[in-house]
Amino acid sequence: MSALVSLDSPVPDRFDAVTVAGEAMSREALFGAATALADRIAGARAVALRADASSATVVATLAGLIAGVPVVPVPPDSGPLERAHILSDSGAVLLLAPGPWTDTGLPTMPVDLTARSASTHREPAPDTTALILYTSGTTGPPKGVLIPHVAIAAGLDGLTEAWAWTPDDVLVHGLPLFHVHGLVLGVLGALRVGSRVVHTGRPTPAAYAQAGGSMYFGVPTVWSRVTRDEDSARALTSARLLVSGSAPLPVPVFERLTELTGHRPIERYGMTETLITVSTRADGERRPGFVGLPIAGVRTRLVGEDGSACPYDGETVGELQIDSPTLFQGYLNRPDATAETLTPDGWFRTGDVAVIDAEGRHRIVGRASTDLIKTGGYRVGAGEVEASLLAHPAVHEAAVIGVAHPDLGQEIVAFVVSGAEVTERQLIDHVASGLSVHKRPRRVVFVTELPRNAMGKVQKKLLTG
Ligand code: MCA
Ligand code: AMP
């Protein structure tokens, strides 16, 4: 059995301890099915999982934890190019819950929700890789982030304490189950704490309103949509905590949500590589624009461009660096990229620019690089979208940026120099045919040339959408 999550819970089991997209399972059923799958995958180097919003995804993830086999959740909307990269780079030997993916070249195994096993698996060592999550960098294809059991346990325990999360809570969200937010916090968090969880399938305001939870998770786009559906927003009044993360929560959304629900949302900050490191506390001040204090066990520091420590005066901006038991083990197969993220004294360079005030409250100001875009809470590398566009025969040059957008935070806009007749729609569809849906540009602007400096480097700051 895994020390990260176990069947034991301080509250009595229920038939609907975990509900995903309308399908309910008790903890006993869930762990029974997961152990049966663990029996079958034990010893595998890594297993991939078509991670749609389903009970199968929960069972398969749990099976990996129990068996000590790294799980590679693959976005269900990923196009063939992205999927092929993830499957080959991860070294997965098996694809679980393949659905329509019959062309991957990997042996497949369906997830049987009715299977049961009570066999005992040896507890994985704390540094066993639990998940390999693929995430975008500024250039190149996504990198596999190795997340060990011990990091997940530390991160979840820190949040449990900060949010006073108890087994009596009912967690509700509808976030994707292939990222930290939805899968680690939204599923493993509930399983570790022992609280019920309702995954709504999609994170719509109406589904959130109907679920009657005590604790809700959303990315800012979700909260922005909740504020535009006032009846649904008012239904959240009876909740205990509304939690926002994965991207900056605009202050007007914070304030409107407070007016409609009576709750000042909790904001928390993290990365795939670090898990969640900073959060406002359930019993602390919740100030719009601020993400709070480091969670238990996490140390942060601000470093200026010259490498010197920045004062915590609420004004001086510096790069946020993290030292934490929640840190990843590195990028799979990419020691070069891993080394770049670490300082000589072993701190993780987030690439986020922040300020810290005299009380230690953190405010994220933005990212150091414009080439990492956050759209709807998804992290998208400009370079990956540019490479996809450049692979289209009609595209000579391409530059991709994130443009401020009221609903998505940023929207992806591509500037293209084309050498042949091609439409905006054709290029958007071309990107979607290889990558994930959310990596599609929303708009394509055709230009005769891209602004370049004397060295020939594209001046993205001069591109305006
Ligand atoms: C999108 N669509 C398009 C285009 N882009 N159609 C044509 N051209 C395009 N360029 C389609 C979509 O497929 C969708 O279609 C419809 O338009 C609406 O899209 P959208 O506005 O994006 O809305 P959505 O599909 O409802 O998505 C919004 C969302 C989603 C639900 C907020 O972005 C989301 O789930 N975000 C969560 C991301 C997340 O969990 N990030 C966590 C990583 P159709 O309706 O037919 O599908 S961060 C993390 O893990 C860390 C550690 C952290 O801090 O949490
Ligand atoms: P990902 O690895 O997809 O989680 O993306 C991590 C990035 O999301 C961070 O480096 C930040 O730029 C951004 N991010 C996450 N949470 C927040 C937040 N609460 N406020 C501002 N930015 C955030």
Side-chain angles (χ1 to χ4, degrees):
M1 195 43 77
S2 152
L4 182 51
V5 286
S6 78
L7 176 56
D8 307 327
S9 167
V11 292
D13 200 6
R14 308 172 35 130
F15 78 97
D16 59 353
V18 176
T19 305
V20 186
E23 188 165 32
M25 289 181 85
S26 66
R27 284 178 81 89
E28 194 180 1
L30 196 64
F31 277 82
T35 306
L37 185 56
D39 293 347
R40 301 181 69 193
I41 63 172
R45 181 174 154 204
V47 294
L49 162 66
R50 184 177 165 276
D52 61 2
S54 70
S55 304
T57 295
V58 178
V59 167
T61 306
L62 201 48
L65 296 182
I66 292 169
V69 172
V71 174
V72 187
V74 186
D77 71 337
S78 56
L81 201 69
E82 188 173 346
R83 193 188 318 151
H85 166 69
I86 295 174
L87 293 178
S88 70
D89 185 69
S90 65
V93 295
L94 192 62
L95 174 62
L96 302 176
W101 295 352
T102 48
D103 55 348
T104 63
L106 280 182
T108 59
M109 191 182 284
V111 174
D112 181 358
L113 300 179
T114 64
R116 298 289 180 266
S117 163
S119 58
T120 318
H121 288 257
R122 192 152 51 87
E123 191 177 307
D127 63 351
T128 306
T129 301
L131 297 170
I132 306 176
L133 296 186
Y134 276 78
T135 191
S136 298
T138 52
T139 58
K143 299 188 285 283
V145 176
L146 301 168
I147 305 178
H149 282 236
V150 66
I152 296 177
L156 292 177
D157 290 350
L159 293 177
T160 304
E161 192 269 329
W163 298 344
W165 188 351
T166 75
D168 293 323
D169 275 307
V170 178
L171 172 63
V172 175
H173 71 95
L175 297 166
L177 296 184
F178 45 88
H179 281 310
V180 166
H181 198 161
L183 185 62
V184 176
L185 275 56
V187 173
L188 302 183
L191 291 177
R192 184 165 174 86
V193 171
S195 65
R196 273 176 64 209
V197 54
V198 178
H199 188 286
T200 57
R202 302 266 298 170
T204 61
Y208 275 33
Q210 227 196 348
S214 67
M215 199 158 87
Y216 284 82
F217 289 171
V219 296
T221 301
V222 168
W223 294 122
S224 157
R225 292 177 185 185
V226 166
T227 60
R228 280 182 277 121
D229 177 346
E230 297 190 1
D231 288 341
S232 295
R234 290 201 176 90
L236 304 185
T237 307
S238 57
R240 186 176 72 80
L241 280 187
L242 309 183
V243 185
S244 179
S246 303
L249 183 68
V251 171
V253 177
F254 182 111
E255 286 168 347
R256 189 73 188 125
L257 201 56
T258 307
E259 278 168 28
L260 290 169
T261 66
H263 294 290
R264 295 169 77 78
I266 288 280
E267 288 183 71
R268 92 294 177 291
Y269 159 85
M271 291 183 75
T272 307
E273 292 87 337
T274 65
L275 304 183
I276 308 308
T277 48
V278 180
S279 179
T280 45
R281 296 179 56 85
D283 62 0
E285 186 196 19
R286 306 178 196 175
R287 184 183 289 208
F290 283 77
V291 294
L293 309 168
I295 64 165
V298 174
R299 292 195 300 159
T300 61
R301 69 184 184 191
L302 271 191
V303 179
E305 270 177 24
D306 60 357
S308 64
C310 297
Y312 291 1
D313 57 9
E315 280 175 18
T316 309
V317 295
E319 185 191 29
L320 186 62
Q321 299 185 352
I322 308 276
D323 178 35
S324 167
T326 62
L327 283 190
F328 72 147
Q329 297 167 305
Y331 299 111
L332 183 63
N333 306 324
R334 295 294 307 276
D336 54 328
T338 306
E340 273 174 32
T341 64
L342 297 175
T343 64
D345 59 347
W347 288 59
F348 180 81
R349 308 182 49 163
T350 64
D352 286 309
V353 176
V355 300
I356 302 178
D357 71 12
E359 280 76 44
R361 288 175 295 227
H362 292 52
R363 183 163 69 83
I364 308 299
V365 176
R367 281 207 66 87
S369 167
T370 52
D371 282 342
L372 265 194
I373 300 166
K374 266 273 158 159
T375 179
Y378 284 114
R379 171 168 153 186
V380 178
E384 191 185 4
V385 183
E386 286 160 3
S388 169
L389 287 164
L390 287 168
H392 189 285
V395 174
H396 279 176
E397 295 177 65
V400 167
I401 59 170
V403 173
H405 186 275
D407 179 48
L408 298 166
Q410 289 184 304
E411 65 171 348
I412 302 174
V413 178
F415 292 79
V416 164
V417 180
S418 67
E421 198 63 29
V422 67
T423 65
E424 176 179 35
R425 187 77 259 152
Q426 284 168 331
L427 289 184
I428 291 172
D429 290 346
H430 167 76
V431 175
S433 71
L435 309 179
S436 299
V437 166
H438 60 268
K439 293 182 179 173
R440 275 184 285 195
R442 298 274 158 160
R443 290 187 283 130
V444 176
V445 181
F446 289 99
V447 290
T448 49
E449 60 179 356
L450 295 175
R452 292 181 187 274
N453 65 14
M455 311 290 291
K457 190 174 179 318
V458 177
Q459 302 283 82
K460 289 201 175 176
K461 294 228 157 63
L462 298 178
L463 295 170
T464 44

